[in-house]
Amino acid sequence: MRRIGLFGGTFDPPQLAHLALARCARDALQLDELRWIPTGQPWQKSRTITAAAHREAMVRLTIAGEPRFTLERCEIERGGPSMTLDTVRELQQRDGAAAWVWIMGSDQYANLHTWRGWRELLQRVTLAVAERPGVASAAHPEVAAHPHTMVPLPPLPISATDIRARVQRGESIAGLVTDAVASYIDQHHLYRSADAH
Ligand code: ATP
């Protein structure tokens, strides 16, 4: 059976911990395909999110040339708030039988019980979780009791929030995003104003 990894995120911008996590999950879990899924309009983030077209373009730059990575546009096309369960239902209906793996950092894992329809989600996918430095809270007991896989990612203290703040302060983001993404951010003047944080 095909093993398909799903990796959702705001990707504002896609950073090198995302890339490391995706590569690590692809290789450790022997995924035939790993789909990056940029959110349309995230429902749990209050700040102004960068236009989907920019975030999509930056994901394309990040995954270019990477074996078995693809971009999945369904949340951008759907518009409105993105619910992970709706996305999983849509993809499973479209592509049928496969071993489906949802990939996430431990911050999202600790938060999972607040997602709409999380119990159904746990029936539909296997979770693959990577430790994220600075995440103190544990998962909800019912979430933790559900079988999940750990992705053997070393701790990488990188966040998109920090990258946006660095750009706003005029600091370098070399080594935090790919060179192509750093150039894209520069060319399109992203993250320079204070309301992008
Ligand atoms: P922001 O700082 O804007 O909240 P972010 O850096 O957390 O963004 P997202 O696009 O929200 O990036 O994250 C996408 C997925 O990648 C999430 O599952 C998140 O937990 C995971 N992730 C992001 N950064 C790391 C990291 N440094 N280590 C492990 N997982 C990470």
Side-chain angles (χ1 to χ4, degrees):
M1 197 183 275
R2 271 177 74 71
R3 295 176 57 77
I4 303 177
L6 303 176
F7 184 35
T10 317
F11 302 128
D12 193 12
Q15 32 98 339
L16 288 185
H18 295 142
L19 184 57
L21 169 51
R23 282 174 171 159
C24 193
R26 176 195 61 199
D27 299 343
L29 309 178
Q30 297 176 313
L31 301 175
D32 296 298
E33 185 187 352
L34 189 152
R35 301 182 187 170
W36 292 58
I37 313 175
T39 50
Q41 181 197 328
W43 57 284
Q44 280 195 335
K45 299 212 174 183
S46 51
R47 68 181 181 84
T48 308
I49 306 296
T50 304
H54 284 312
R55 294 184 291 109
E56 176 184 339
M58 292 190 285
V59 170
R60 286 187 191 282
L61 292 172
T62 301
I63 69 176
E66 282 282 336
R68 303 197 295 282
F69 284 175
T70 55
L71 177 84
E72 170 55 61
R73 300 188 72 256
C74 67
E75 293 196 359
I76 293 173
E77 279 161 15
R78 198 184 311 138
S82 296
M83 298 290 176
T84 299
L85 178 60
D86 293 342
T87 300
V88 168
R89 280 179 178 160
E90 183 180 329
L91 296 179
Q92 290 182 339
Q93 194 172 15
R94 198 174 77 192
D95 295 334
W100 297 90
V101 182
W102 188 276
I103 298 155
M104 55 171 51
S106 52
D107 56 320
Q108 301 270 298
Y109 186 57
N111 205 21
L112 191 85
H113 63 287
T114 68
W115 295 11
R116 203 196 69 192
W118 62 273
R119 287 190 177 87
E120 182 182 334
L121 183 69
L122 288 177
Q123 299 306 317
R124 288 178 171 271
V125 298
T126 303
L127 295 182
V129 183
E131 292 291 352
R132 190 165 185 181
V135 176
S137 47
H140 184 277
E142 212 180 315
V143 175
H146 210 84
H148 65 277
T149 312
M150 291 307 293
V151 181
L153 182 76
L156 294 172
I158 304 176
S159 75
T161 301
D162 174 58
I163 290 165
R164 294 191 300 273
R166 283 172 187 266
V167 174
Q168 213 238 320
R169 294 195 299 262
E171 295 171 9
S172 168
I173 54 169
L176 301 174
V177 296
T178 65
D179 291 346
V181 167
S183 301
Y184 187 97
I185 289 170
D186 195 41
Q187 277 163 17
H188 294 271
H189 311 291
L190 301 183
Y191 311 127
R192 291 196 190 168
S193 71
D195 69 350
H197 308 275

